[in-house]
Amino acid sequence: PSLHDLTKSMLKMATYYSALEAFVDVLSRREFGAVNHALCASVRKFLQDYLIMIAQLETQFLTSDTFTVHILNIHTISTSHLMLQLYSLAQELLKKNALLDDESEEDEDSEDDYDKVLEKLNDNKDLIPGNMSTEKICKGGGVLGIVTKRLETMSGDPAARALLTSLLRDASRPYMKMLNEWLH
């Protein structure tokens, strides 16, 4: 039972990674704007760091006889927490963009929820350029507002606060550049 629980928590992290990859692929498209593109670039950097960590842990597993599943879990706890924060931010942005149904929030503990998100992102016919209505797209200040709101909500969690501050800083660069050009 303990190995089952450890494996289940690590599988959630892997599922978050897959969902975030799909999220980045969708929201980094041109029609979602520069702020979403910058946010996706920041998330992509975090996902790259995640892959590096996984490669390092795999090397440890292959070279050390004392490396166990429990040690692997200990090394991935903080990363799993940050992946959950990114995943929940991604879900909120997808809901605002009408790419994800609000009903999935009710089934948060359901194991099929992750599969629904991936399936929705991969199979959505509305994502074909030219098919999307512009009123469904949340971009620019709306995206920054969502990240800021999450930052306020998570202010008691230092790791989530650092992650969201970094995301907000990266995502707001294009917005501030446009605002400065408009002002000057």
Side-chain angles (χ1 to χ4, degrees), residues 45-63:
K45 276 192 291 185
F46 179 79
L47 294 178
Q48 185 63 34
D49 291 343
Y50 167 79
L51 289 176
I52 291 169
M53 181 200 70
I54 294 298
Q56 290 170 343
L57 290 173
E58 182 182 13
T59 302
Q60 261 189 327
F61 170 73
L62 295 173
T63 58

Side-chain angles (χ1 to χ4, degrees), residues 23-24 27-28 34-48 167 170-171:
F23 165 79
V24 167
L27 259 65
S28 62
V35 173
N36 275 323
H37 191 83
L39 178 67
C40 287
S42 187
V43 171
R44 200 174 273 129
K45 276 192 291 185
F46 179 79
L47 294 178
Q48 185 63 34
L167 290 176
D170 291 345

Side-chain angles (χ1 to χ4, degrees), residues 23-172:
F23 165 79
V24 167
D25 287 345
V26 170
L27 259 65
S28 62
R29 294 182 183 165
R30 184 181 54 85
E31 59 265 16
F32 286 97
V35 173
N36 275 323
H37 191 83
L39 178 67
C40 287
S42 187
V43 171
R44 200 174 273 129
K45 276 192 291 185
F46 179 79
L47 294 178
Q48 185 63 34
D49 291 343
Y50 167 79
L51 289 176
I52 291 169
M53 181 200 70
I54 294 298
Q56 290 170 343
L57 290 173
E58 182 182 13
T59 302
Q60 261 189 327
F61 170 73
L62 295 173
T63 58
S64 174
D65 292 335
T66 60
F67 194 81
T68 63
V69 175
H70 184 65
I71 292 172
L72 175 65
N73 187 49
I74 290 170
H75 284 292
T76 59
I77 286 174
S78 62
T79 304
S80 180
H81 177 66
L82 294 179
M83 294 287 276
L84 173 62
Q85 295 301 322
L86 284 172
Y87 176 77
S88 57
L89 174 65
Q91 271 196 319
E92 192 170 343
L93 286 169
L94 291 171
K95 286 175 188 171
K96 287 287 184 186
N97 283 304
L99 297 175
L100 190 63
D101 298 331
D102 285 333
E103 67 189 38
S104 65
E105 190 175 299
E106 299 165 3
D107 300 331
E108 228 170 80
D109 295 331
S110 169
E111 292 182 25
D112 297 333
D113 187 34
Y114 311 114
D115 296 331
K116 288 178 190 175
V117 171
L118 290 172
E119 187 177 316
K120 180 82 171 171
L121 286 172
N122 290 330
D123 297 337
N124 199 334
K125 304 284 189 260
D126 295 336
L127 296 177
I128 300 169
N131 256 3
M132 297 184 69
S133 69
T134 54
E135 58 198 46
K136 287 184 177 182
I137 296 179
C138 175
K139 56 185 183 177
V143 172
L144 296 176
I146 290 171
V147 176
T148 303
K149 184 178 152 196
R150 284 198 66 80
L151 182 59
E152 289 171 2
T153 305
M154 296 293 165
S155 63
D157 182 354
R161 182 173 170 76
L163 172 70
L164 291 168
T165 301
S166 172
L167 290 176
L168 183 61
R169 187 180 318 110
D170 291 345
S172 64

Side-chain angles (χ1 to χ4, degrees), residues 1-8 69:
S2 64
L3 287 176
H4 179 267
D5 289 342
L6 289 174
T7 305
K8 200 171 176 183
V69 175

